[in-house]
Amino acid sequence: MKLAAVLLAAGKGTRMKSDRAKVLHRVAGRPMIEYPVMLARALEAERVVCVLGHQAEAVQAALSSRFGEGAFEVALQTEQRGTGHAVLQAMPALSGFDGHVLILYGDVPLLTAGLLRRLVEASRDRLVALVTMRVADPTGYGRIVRDTEGRLVKIVEHKDATLDERAIDEVNAGLYCVRADFLGPALAGLSTDNAQGELYLTDIVAQAATRESVASVSASAEEVMGINDRAELAKADSIMRGRVTLDLMKSGVTIHGPETCFIEHGVVVGPDSEIGPLVQLRGATRIGAGCLVEAGCIVTDAVLEDGAHLKPYTVVAESRVGAGAHVGPFAHLRPGSDLGADVKIGNFVETKKARLGKGSKASHLTYLGDAEIGADVNIGCGTITCNYDGYQKHKTVIGDGAFIGSDTQLVAPVTVGANAITASGTTVTQDVSPGALALARVKQTEIPGYADKRRRREEARRKELADKAGKAK
Ligand code: UD1
Ligand code: CA
């Protein structure tokens, strides 16, 4: 079936109490408006029209950066005069379109493709299909009014409903699939003669009903839940994250304590990878197959290649961890870290814009910033690249097979040649030739018997103090 989609997202979302447009608040890491757009694209809608009003520019920018500018059109609704008025704004963008139009809300992120497919199917040979649900408390919703045969007659908004109608617990979810050639004339027939003085989109249902051309599908309250405040936002976030972890588990990922993990929508994890409790995987993170991400790791916009292993409480951002590399516990890979295969980064190591070649190791207590490090390099404990002179950052280059002794300071810009060695405690201020030993530390001297001498001196001092105290009595 030929489809277009209209997303209503012009409302202010007053109950969010936010300066940010409601639809930009995040659910499982993504601005909530991305979800209906993703669904519209999944259903191959030929046109996606977003009706924007409140903070339209910010919403448009967010959508463009995610989907590209050509992926959707914007219809501005500067004054929010009702859902019918909102769809009217989208009509110019639908001109010439002759299929069915899906009408969705920008603040209903838990919607599923399955429900939308049922809705589209129900709209076949009909002017209008809509989604209804039964709720314990229908206050605020439009009520579904049916005749004695159960045929849908109309939707009555809460504020316009009689007491009898208010007792109806079947309500309008606000999702429709409408034949395009019916939509325009139906909208033209709307009036503001109602309790709110708005153009109600819901009134097109009665128009289609007189032509016996309405179908409805029912949904659970969860999947059509609208987000109006921060409590609902938290609930939707939790449900969406539950779906994300469930999908990953179904695809062959082991997750220990999935309810404790924060895995954002869109994160990729390969089969036979294992995720520990309290792990956060965010943004564009991609994790390969057979990886192990242990408890408490926070990984943002990073790539882990097959078999990579993050030990507990490792923080990784905008970095790449090569196949079979081991990182942590308590390591910090800052943006621009690029670890080759089989690299080992140990506890309390921080890296930033640092490339380490295959098999290199920095096992303990080290800072590597703005560094280009070859393969099979051993970085000893306590090594520091002194990359910042207070004004500018400088680069450290270390060749393949070099051995950096413990407690080396590399004062950048500096190059250590392949297979060179720096002695422990060396401050490297000049380039080191390949294969050479750089040694820059004070030569060790020895004072024989010094410890005894020192002890005797201390004993004498204490005796003198005691004698003084005795005389004073
Ligand atoms: C609407 C339905 C109601 C249904 C309910 C489900 C109408 C008249 N009523 O209620 O039957 O039970 O949804 O949630 O349609 N919007 C605009 N521009 C506007 C008005 C709304 O873009 O001028 C957008 C909002 O941003 C929101 C969506 O449309 O995403 C729904 O608006 P809202 O005011 O929450 O719906 P109601 O009219 O109360
Ligand atoms: Ca609402």
Side-chain angles (χ1 to χ4, degrees):
M1 241 164 100
K2 229 169 135 179
L3 289 175
V6 173
L7 266 68
L8 305 191
K12 184 161 192 280
T14 315
R15 278 180 283 163
M16 291 298 282
K17 306 234 167 70
S18 177
D19 284 341
R20 199 188 317 163
K22 174 164 81 173
V23 293
L24 291 183
H25 284 264
R26 289 170 187 270
V27 169
R30 299 201 167 281
M32 65 175 95
I33 194 170
E34 286 189 11
Y35 293 101
V37 176
M38 280 189 258
L39 285 179
R41 289 161 66 92
L43 269 79
E44 292 173 0
E46 288 175 15
R47 302 184 199 180
V48 177
V49 186
C50 298
V51 180
L52 305 180
H54 192 69
Q55 292 203 9
E57 277 177 25
V59 177
Q60 183 171 1
L63 287 172
S64 296
S65 80
R66 169 78 166 88
F67 299 105
E69 259 165 47
F72 63 98
E73 283 166 77
V74 170
L76 278 181
Q77 187 198 26
T78 40
E79 240 184 298
Q80 278 78 63
R81 288 156 54 192
T83 47
H85 181 256
V87 178
L88 258 180
Q89 312 312 304
M91 292 314 285
L94 292 174
S95 81
F97 176 76
D98 65 354
H100 274 69
V101 181
L102 272 170
I103 300 173
L104 314 173
Y105 293 168
D107 59 358
V108 181
L110 298 176
L111 206 59
T112 60
L115 173 60
L116 283 191
R117 290 210 174 88
R118 281 200 290 134
L119 176 65
V120 169
E121 204 42 53
S123 74
R124 211 180 272 280
D125 312 321
R126 304 289 176 113
L127 296 176
V128 175
L130 65 135
V131 177
T132 76
M133 57 179 173
R134 293 199 182 272
V135 288
D137 178 11
T139 308
Y141 286 106
R143 306 301 202 279
I144 303 295
V145 178
R146 294 181 184 271
D147 65 16
T148 46
E149 259 99 86
R151 279 183 303 237
L152 217 158
V153 177
K154 61 176 177 177
I155 297 174
V156 181
E157 290 305 296
H158 181 89
K159 287 184 177 149
D160 301 282
T162 63
L163 281 178
D164 279 351
E165 286 166 341
R166 285 189 184 184
I168 299 172
D169 70 348
E170 189 187 10
V171 300
N172 171 30
L175 310 167
Y176 317 81
C177 191
V178 186
R179 216 170 77 188
D181 63 352
F182 168 74
L183 184 59
L187 291 173
L190 296 181
S191 92
T192 55
D193 184 15
N194 53 55
Q196 301 182 74
E198 290 183 349
L199 290 179
Y200 288 167
L201 177 60
T202 43
D203 287 347
I204 69 170
V205 172
Q207 296 185 44
T210 59
R211 291 159 67 177
E212 299 197 353
S213 201
V214 180
S216 68
V217 298
S218 61
S220 70
E222 181 184 291
E223 56 186 334
V224 293
M225 168 189 170
I227 312 296
N228 294 301
D229 58 30
R230 309 251 182 177
E232 287 169 345
L233 180 70
K235 192 173 163 200
D237 183 57
S238 152
I239 292 169
M240 184 60 85
R241 284 190 288 101
R243 287 187 192 168
V244 169
T245 49
L246 188 63
D247 284 349
L248 288 175
M249 291 187 283
K250 281 182 180 163
S251 74
V253 177
T254 292
I255 305 180
H256 303 280
E259 64 289 347
T260 70
C261 293
F262 284 65
I263 304 180
E264 293 185 355
H265 191 279
V267 166
V268 177
V269 185
D272 277 327
S273 282
E274 216 173 299
I275 308 293
L278 297 162
V279 164
Q280 296 189 23
L281 304 177
R282 330 183 70 131
T285 293
R286 285 190 293 119
I287 293 179
C291 291
L292 176 56
V293 179
E294 292 196 69
C297 290
I298 301 177
V299 184
T300 308
D301 297 326
V303 173
L304 268 61
E305 286 176 358
D306 295 350
H309 178 187
L310 301 187
K311 295 179 189 175
Y313 304 103
T314 290
V315 176
V316 180
E318 295 169 45
S319 292
R320 184 184 76 97
V321 178
H326 295 262
V327 183
F330 302 104
H332 189 186
L333 306 186
R334 291 168 51 205
S337 300
D338 184 351
L339 311 186
D342 304 320
V343 160
K344 184 173 184 291
I345 295 290
N347 41 206
F348 308 110
V349 173
E350 173 184 347
T351 62
K352 185 220 74 173
K353 278 193 195 157
R355 179 150 55 198
L356 277 81
K358 186 177 188 317
S360 287
K361 294 188 173 80
S363 300
H364 338 261
L365 291 166
T366 285
Y367 173 61
L368 301 172
D370 303 299
E372 188 84 45
I373 298 166
D376 297 316
V377 171
N378 189 84
I379 308 277
C381 176
T383 296
I384 296 169
T385 53
C386 310
N387 59 326
Y388 185 50
D389 60 13
Y391 298 99
Q392 280 177 284
K393 302 282 169 64
H394 301 283
K395 198 163 175 180
T396 300
V397 178
I398 302 176
D400 294 348
F403 182 94
I404 306 300
S406 294
D407 192 29
T408 295
Q409 296 96 52
L410 298 147
V411 182
V414 76
T415 297
V416 176
N419 299 312
I421 298 169
T422 69
S424 280
T426 291
T427 301
V428 180
T429 53
Q430 290 162 25
D431 290 354
V432 181
S433 312
L437 167 70
L439 184 144
R441 61 188 183 208
V442 175
K443 202 166 163 64
Q444 186 169 323
T445 56
E446 194 167 299
I447 305 174
Y450 178 80
D452 270 351
K453 216 160 92 187
R454 198 171 76 111
R455 184 172 40 76
R456 281 196 295 274
R457 197 165 63 208
E458 178 62 12
E459 281 167 3
R461 190 182 66 84
R462 288 187 190 179
K463 189 166 176 296
E464 198 183 306
L465 279 177
D467 289 351
K468 257 189 206 158
K471 264 183 211 148
K473 270 191 189 157

